[in-house]
């Protein structure tokens, strides 16, 4: 598989006009490698954006330490402290608005979001998923791909909608499954691609919004 066919659309950030600086709020539950990739893309000047705030929901999540190291304000909103998904999302919306975020970037946010969040940021909530959607939605997407015996999987940046891991697709990258792959080895290669397509997907979403 050539590099040219690995990512679609086959564009670099330099080829996407970015006349405005985007204000991002990132939601994450895990190690935060996608947060870091977006932050590095911004630092390197490729993605014209600022990360106003990180919201995380797991007290021990590695993403908090990364945010500290990157100088990104981090706010813990522990879902266990809220009676419902909608209540958590109300707190998220308030935190994002206070921080001045205009875009919501779900970078490994392991919670189902509700219309409370989606309606507060129409067409501005983006998600990354470690499969070539619409295959292998939900948790364990890498394991699902291995069990299914597919030969190629990948990752997808898409608009979030009320259904999990659905919504219009912005960018995808294909990752071949190799003999002997484990969930860990395959996920590691998928993540390398996630780090490429997430900044790209963000810039594409902003471009689409300007074109409407
Ligand atoms: C990513 O693989 C993402 O696709 C999935 O969760 C993982 C988060 O990874 N939803 P990280 O915390 O950004 O390293």
């Amino acid at each position: 598989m050539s590099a040219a066919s690995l990512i679609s659309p086959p564009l670099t950030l330099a080829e996407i006009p970015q006349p405005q600086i985007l204000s991002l709020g990132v939601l994450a539950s895990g190690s935060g490698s996608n947060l870091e990739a977006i932050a590095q893309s911004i630092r390197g000047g490729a993605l014209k954006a600022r990360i106003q705030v990180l919201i995380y929901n797991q007290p021990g999540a590695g993403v908090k330490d990364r945010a500290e190291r990157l100088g990104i304000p981090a706010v813990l909103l522990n879902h266990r402290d809220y009676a419902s998904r909608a209540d958590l999302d109300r707190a998220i919306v308030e935190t994002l608005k206070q921080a001045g975020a205009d875009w919501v970037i779900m970078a490994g946010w392991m919670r189902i979001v509700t219309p409370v969040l989606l309606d507060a940021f129409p067409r501005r909530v983006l998600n990354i998923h470690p499969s070539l959607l619409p295959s292998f939605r939900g948790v364990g997407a890498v394991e699902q791909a291995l069990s299914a015996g597919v030969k190629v999987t990948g990752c997808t940046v898409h608009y979030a909608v009320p259904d999990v891991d659905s919504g219009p697709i912005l960018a995808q990258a294909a990752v071949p499954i190799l003999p002997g792959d484990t969930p860990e080895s395959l996920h590691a290669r998928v993540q390398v691609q996630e780090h490429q397509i997430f900044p790209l997907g963000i810039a594409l979403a902003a471009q689409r919004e300007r074109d409407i």
Side-chain angles (χ1 to χ4, degrees):
M1 195 179 303
S2 75
S5 65
L6 201 62
I7 290 182
S8 187
L11 291 171
T12 65
L13 282 165
E15 295 169 272
I16 303 172
Q18 298 181 64
Q20 287 151 355
I21 309 275
L22 309 177
S23 294
L24 312 181
V26 175
L27 309 187
S29 306
S31 81
S33 70
N34 279 285
L35 170 80
E36 180 142 9
I38 293 165
Q40 298 301 0
S41 179
I42 292 170
R43 283 200 181 170
L47 178 64
K48 311 289 184 216
R50 268 188 295 262
I51 301 178
Q52 307 286 43
V53 66
L54 162 75
I55 296 173
Y56 65 107
N57 67 312
Q58 297 287 6
V63 70
K64 173 187 184 273
D65 298 334
R66 282 204 214 234
E68 255 166 36
R69 183 159 48 74
L70 294 162
I72 298 166
V75 177
L76 172 65
L77 296 179
N78 189 332
H79 57 279
R80 299 165 192 87
D81 296 338
Y82 297 86
S84 67
R85 293 187 196 282
D87 281 353
L88 171 64
D89 281 0
R90 267 184 277 281
I92 291 172
V93 169
E94 197 186 319
T95 304
L96 290 169
K97 299 258 180 201
Q98 271 175 9
D102 296 329
W103 290 82
V104 186
I105 308 303
M106 301 202 299
W109 181 244
M110 303 306 282
R111 306 295 306 166
I112 293 172
V113 297
T114 70
V116 170
L117 177 62
L118 298 173
D119 294 349
F121 295 91
R123 297 179 54 83
R124 288 185 168 203
V125 184
L126 310 183
N127 186 44
I128 189 140
H129 185 72
S131 77
L132 289 176
L133 290 173
S135 292
F136 312 130
R137 295 187 168 113
V139 293
V142 173
E143 289 81 356
Q144 290 183 55
L146 279 173
S147 306
V150 296
K151 302 304 176 203
V152 178
T153 186
C155 47
T156 303
V157 179
H158 64 97
Y159 292 100
V161 294
D163 285 340
V164 173
D165 301 327
S166 302
I169 289 171
L170 285 155
Q172 289 186 308
V175 176
I177 294 183
L178 304 179
D181 253 337
T182 61
E184 292 72 30
S185 65
L186 179 54
H187 193 207
R189 291 205 311 288
V190 167
Q191 287 218 291
V192 170
Q193 298 304 319
E194 289 185 340
H195 301 162
Q196 300 298 314
I197 65 168
F198 217 169
L200 182 68
I202 293 167
L204 285 169
Q207 183 186 38
R208 278 202 198 174
E209 188 181 73
R210 286 194 309 275
D211 290 347
I212 285 174

